[in-house]
Amino acid sequence: QVSALAYLYQRNNSTQKPRVMVRGYPQNQHNPSNQSRYTAAQQACNRAGNLWEQSYGNRWKLLFGRHRHAAEARHLLSLAD
């Protein structure tokens, strides 16, 4: 599932500018498994920011809307298959 999230990120968000630069050990960054983790983490951060914005920064809306957000995340994962 991590690689599916990474694929979604690469297909949709990685074409935007400016690009995200990841610092660290090059041997870790060139490992495909780690690359998937990095891109999935970037997607998760983008999604969290988007959800926060959609809920107008209100903690209660974010808390009580979590089932709808989880359903949307499952839908996005099903599209990646």
Side-chain angles (χ1 to χ4, degrees):
Q1 286 183 343
V2 172
S3 60
L5 285 175
Y7 170 75
L8 284 174
Y9 176 82
Q10 288 174 340
R11 193 180 76 195
N12 296 314
N13 295 344
S14 72
T15 59
Q16 298 174 354
K17 302 291 180 195
R19 301 286 305 241
V20 175
M21 301 300 292
V22 177
R23 293 190 303 183
Y25 295 107
Q27 63 269 24
N28 291 340
Q29 293 177 3
H30 293 296
N31 180 342
S33 177
N34 288 342
Q35 288 175 349
S36 292
R37 288 185 186 131
Y38 293 147
T39 54
Q42 289 169 348
Q43 175 66 19
C45 291
N46 288 343
R47 186 70 186 132
N50 189 13
L51 291 175
W52 185 256
E53 217 173 70
Q54 288 175 357
S55 66
Y56 302 103
N58 187 326
R59 293 181 195 177
W60 295 110
K61 287 182 182 178
L62 187 62
L63 178 68
F64 291 120
R66 69 184 185 274
H67 295 293
R68 181 173 46 90
H69 300 314
E72 185 175 347
R74 281 191 293 277
H75 172 71
L76 288 173
L77 281 174
S78 71
L79 294 176
D81 290 338

